[in-house]
Amino acid sequence: MRVTTDLWVSALLRRVFSAGGFAAVAKRGATEAGAVFVLARGRLGEMALFGPAPQTSYDSARPDDRFFTRLGEGGDAAIFDARLEREKKFDPDIWVVEVEAGAIPVEELISVKSP
């Protein structure tokens, strides 16, 4: 049985806060199985967007894990906003979580796979 998206996002928020960072749900999607996008913001204005990894990235030994891939990085918020708007049009049940991770890199808070 897979953990619901609502519970997984709540656990992510707790991990971020316990690491001294800040996180907020910018868009709440489907409670049971909405796709999660993580917008990581650095303290110096840098940003990175992470989205669900392709199905080929999943490990049959760990079928319940959520994996992410880096979709882009930079400092232009408009590019990320446009990408997220396209994703919302494709799937209105997505979650968007904004994270300022603090001392711990985002890659240690979520499982990131290379494309």
Side-chain angles (χ1 to χ4, degrees):
M1 188 165 148
R2 188 171 183 164
V3 172
T4 64
T5 303
D6 187 41
L7 182 63
W8 188 90
V9 168
S10 295
L12 174 62
L13 295 178
R14 286 183 182 269
R15 285 193 309 268
V16 171
F17 288 130
S18 69
F22 176 78
V25 176
K27 183 187 181 312
R28 183 175 295 275
T31 301
E32 298 296 322
V36 179
F37 290 83
V38 177
L39 182 60
R41 296 179 181 270
R43 296 183 185 209
L44 300 176
E46 67 277 7
M47 298 168 53
L49 180 63
F50 298 89
Q55 290 292 349
T56 56
S57 298
Y58 285 80
D59 184 356
S60 60
R62 298 168 47 193
D64 296 331
D65 287 353
R66 289 182 186 260
F67 294 105
F68 293 84
T69 187
R70 184 184 300 262
L71 301 176
E73 59 188 316
D76 189 0
I79 292 172
F80 297 113
D81 291 340
R83 173 69 186 259
L84 290 170
E85 283 303 316
R86 286 193 308 272
E87 294 291 345
K88 288 177 197 175
K89 286 180 183 175
F90 177 73
D91 180 6
D93 291 330
I94 68 168
W95 289 70
V96 178
V97 180
E98 292 194 27
V99 173
E100 188 175 300
I104 295 179
V106 174
E107 290 84 353
E108 290 185 25
L109 297 168
I110 60 176
S111 298
V112 179
K113 295 277 188 165
S114 300

